[in-house]
């Protein structure tokens, strides 16, 4: 079976059948339990995320009904051969979902990123990070959480995704793929204009492709953005790279 959080929240059987969770609240409960897999998530936390500071009087009864539907979906997906590895249990004032870590795309992503960090060969490190990033099918919890709830639950996940992408670009730069990276980096700095590391990578890609003037222009653009948007000069890493390119 497979649980997917890196995009729409989905649940699949071993043979690839999608188990439908019709309600957004059901998908959100499943996501919350998977984000804290093998740990007890209190009913109060689930209610707070589902309904905010003013839950309805029927919140606990509704939560139990939602949990029941999620439990049924998990049992169907696990099938008869799960050997007790997949269980959604009520424990005290909360619930715990026990699943093999490899069945959750988020946990596989995190493991692959950690494995990539110890690889010393840039092409291998790039390939490993590319495979990890390919697990993402869109924004995390795309069809389960919205607004401030999504910001609270997913900001760290999206930061991890961006960091893995930047690490992959560093590996590609180390592997000499400068020219191939220029167009990708030019698009990424538009999407993440205040990310100094990206601006530095674009400068390096330009410079190592024999485009020194473009590299210096990229620094000027980055500095103008940072000063205009944040009122701050570029940090020491970007300034140091700029000085090295001039020298």
């Amino acid at each position: 079976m497979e649980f997917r959080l890196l995009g729409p929240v989905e649940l699949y059987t071993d043979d690839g059948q999608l188990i439908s969770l019709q309600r957004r609240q059901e998908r959100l409960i499943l996501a919350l339990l998977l984000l804290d897999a093998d740990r007890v998530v209190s009913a109060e936390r689930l209610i707070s995320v589902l309904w905010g500071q003013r839950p309805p009087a029927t919140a606990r009864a509704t939560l139990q009904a939602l949990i029941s539907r999620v439990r049924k979906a998990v049992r169907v997906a696990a099938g008869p051969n799960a050997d007790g590895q997949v269980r959604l249990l009520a424990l005290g004032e909360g619930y715990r979902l026990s699943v093999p870590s490899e069945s959750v795309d988020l946990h596989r992503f995190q493991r692959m990123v950690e494995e990539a960090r110890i690889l010393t060969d840039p092409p291998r490190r790039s390939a490993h990070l590319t495979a990890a990033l390919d697990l993402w099918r869109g924004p995390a919890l795309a069809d389960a959480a919205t607004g401030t709830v999504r910001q609270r639950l997913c900001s760290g996940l999206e930061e991890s995704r961006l960091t893995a992408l930047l690490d992959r670009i560093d590996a590609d730069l180390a592997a000499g793929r400068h020219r191939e990276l220029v167009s990708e980096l030019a698009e990424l700095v538009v999407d993440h204009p205040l990310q100094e590391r990206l601006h530095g990578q674009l400068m390096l890609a330009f410079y190592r492709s024999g485009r020194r003037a473009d590299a210096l222009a990229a620094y000027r653009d980055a500095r103008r953005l940072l000063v205009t948007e944040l009122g701050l000069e570029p940090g020491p890493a970007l300034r140091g790279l700029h000085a090295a390119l001039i020298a």
Side-chain angles (χ1 to χ4, degrees):
M1 65 183 305
E2 183 178 9
F3 297 93
R4 296 182 180 180
L5 300 177
L6 304 180
V9 176
E10 295 176 341
L11 174 57
Y12 285 86
T13 63
D14 280 342
D15 59 2
Q17 178 186 353
L18 175 65
I19 303 301
S20 177
L21 290 169
Q22 296 289 345
R23 298 187 182 185
R24 183 187 64 81
Q25 288 180 321
E26 295 169 14
R27 296 191 293 272
L28 182 53
I29 286 174
L30 178 61
L32 288 166
L33 293 171
L34 288 170
L35 288 172
D36 282 314
D38 292 315
R39 293 194 291 265
V40 175
V41 181
S42 70
E44 285 189 4
R45 170 165 167 73
L46 293 170
I47 289 171
S48 173
V49 174
L50 287 169
W51 289 289
Q53 296 182 344
R54 295 186 177 181
T58 58
R60 284 194 173 266
T62 303
L63 175 62
Q64 289 175 358
L66 292 167
I67 287 285
S68 178
R69 285 195 283 270
V70 172
R71 182 183 286 115
K72 179 179 179 181
V74 169
R75 283 176 177 167
V76 171
N81 301 317
D83 297 327
Q85 295 183 72
V86 182
R87 292 179 296 171
L88 173 50
L89 301 175
L91 297 171
E93 291 297 311
Y95 302 90
R96 184 181 72 196
L97 177 57
S98 297
V99 296
S101 61
E102 280 299 297
S103 68
V104 185
D105 60 355
L106 170 61
H107 300 159
R108 292 204 308 278
F109 168 77
Q110 292 169 333
R111 174 185 57 76
M112 293 170 74
V113 168
E114 288 299 318
E115 290 173 350
R117 286 177 179 155
I118 64 174
L119 297 175
T120 57
D121 179 61
R124 286 186 63 208
R125 188 163 67 249
S126 172
H128 218 71
L129 288 166
T130 297
L133 290 163
D134 284 345
L135 293 174
W136 287 76
R137 297 162 291 111
L141 315 190
D143 62 346
T146 59
T148 56
V149 170
R150 188 178 183 281
Q151 175 66 21
R152 185 171 28 155
L153 294 176
C154 301
S155 59
L157 302 181
E158 297 294 345
E159 288 174 10
S160 296
R161 180 186 190 182
L162 179 58
T163 298
L165 175 59
L166 297 176
D167 288 345
R168 193 227 85 208
I169 291 170
D170 277 342
D172 284 337
L173 285 168
R177 299 168 181 162
H178 322 304
R179 289 180 175 82
E180 304 165 39
L181 288 170
V182 167
S183 60
E184 179 184 4
L185 283 164
E187 293 179 7
L188 285 171
V189 296
V190 173
D191 294 336
H192 306 278
L194 303 181
Q195 174 55 251
E196 290 192 39
R197 188 175 166 192
L198 271 175
H199 288 288
Q201 290 173 328
L202 178 59
M203 290 164 62
L204 274 177
F206 273 137
Y207 182 78
R208 292 176 180 175
S209 299
R211 299 169 61 178
R212 182 173 178 272
D214 288 330
L216 296 175
Y219 176 80
R220 291 193 296 270
D221 291 342
R223 180 181 179 276
R224 183 167 55 251
L225 273 168
L226 294 168
V227 170
T228 301
E229 297 295 328
L230 303 178
L232 297 174
E233 291 288 336
L238 203 59
R239 292 200 310 272
L241 177 58
H242 178 242
L245 297 186
I246 291 176

